[in-house]
Amino acid sequence: MTETEVEELLTKIMSNKISDKDLQALQAIYGSDKHFWNKISVIVDLKLRSKKAKISNKFDNVIYLQDSSEKVIGIVVIYNENEPLKINEIFKYIEMAKSSNVDAYLAIIDKYGDITYYNLSEVSLSKG
C-alpha cells in the first residue's frame, strides 16, 4: 500500500467515511505489521492536534513528525502500556534523533486507547 493510499484511509477514518473495502485493506496491512493499529491511533491523535505525521517504513514502532514543508522534525516511538520498554532501543532512538537534529518522543497507548506523550532526551548525572 502506498503512502498516498494510507493517507486517504486516514482521512476516511477521521471523517467516519470508511467502507468495508477500506477495512479489508487495513486488515491486510495489519496482518503484516503488528504495530499498525498503534501507529494509526497515534497518527490520528496527532492530526487532531494539528500535527503532521508519517509512518516509518524503516522501524516497526516509529512514526515521523513533519513540518509544513514535510521535513522531519521529530520521531515518535510507540509502545503499548502492556509492552515492556526496551531501554537500549529507547537510547538508540534518542541517539538517532540527536544525530539527525530532531526531537524524540515516546507515545504510550493505554488499554482505553488514550495516548500519553513523553519528550525523550539524554540526561547526564554527575557525581555530586
Side-chain angles (χ1 to χ4, degrees):
M1 180 166 274
T2 67
E3 187 177 317
T4 306
E5 291 170 326
V6 170
E7 196 65 35
E8 288 173 6
L9 283 173
L10 287 171
T11 303
K12 289 179 181 180
I13 289 169
M14 292 178 67
S15 64
N16 289 329
K17 295 182 180 176
I18 194 158
S19 68
D20 288 339
K21 182 181 175 187
D22 297 327
L23 285 174
Q24 290 172 353
L26 287 170
Q27 287 174 335
I29 296 168
Y30 181 66
S32 63
D33 183 356
K34 67 178 183 171
H35 298 283
F36 185 73
W37 290 115
N38 287 340
K39 291 183 217 177
I40 292 294
S41 297
V42 171
I43 286 177
V44 168
D45 184 65
L46 289 171
K47 284 184 180 290
L48 291 172
R49 296 170 189 250
S50 300
K51 305 290 183 198
K52 189 170 185 174
K54 175 183 170 185
I55 294 175
S56 168
N57 293 328
K58 294 180 183 178
F59 304 102
D60 283 344
N61 58 338
V62 173
I63 60 171
Y64 299 120
L65 285 176
Q66 299 176 311
D67 63 9
S68 57
S69 65
E70 297 191 4
K71 178 183 175 214
V72 175
I73 58 171
I75 61 170
V76 181
V77 182
I78 305 166
Y79 275 92
N80 189 298
E81 73 174 347
N82 296 325
E83 241 180 306
L85 284 176
K86 299 173 184 161
I87 298 301
N88 289 337
E89 190 173 284
I90 299 294
F91 282 130
K92 178 181 82 172
Y93 290 123
I94 291 171
E95 285 301 316
M96 183 178 74
K98 206 163 102 176
S99 68
S100 301
N101 202 26
V102 298
D103 295 322
Y105 302 94
L106 175 64
I108 305 288
I109 303 174
D110 70 15
K111 64 183 176 184
Y112 303 107
D114 295 328
I115 304 168
T116 304
Y117 298 93
Y118 299 93
N119 189 3
L120 297 175
S121 62
E122 192 173 31
V123 177
S124 296
L125 300 175
S126 60
K127 219 173 191 181

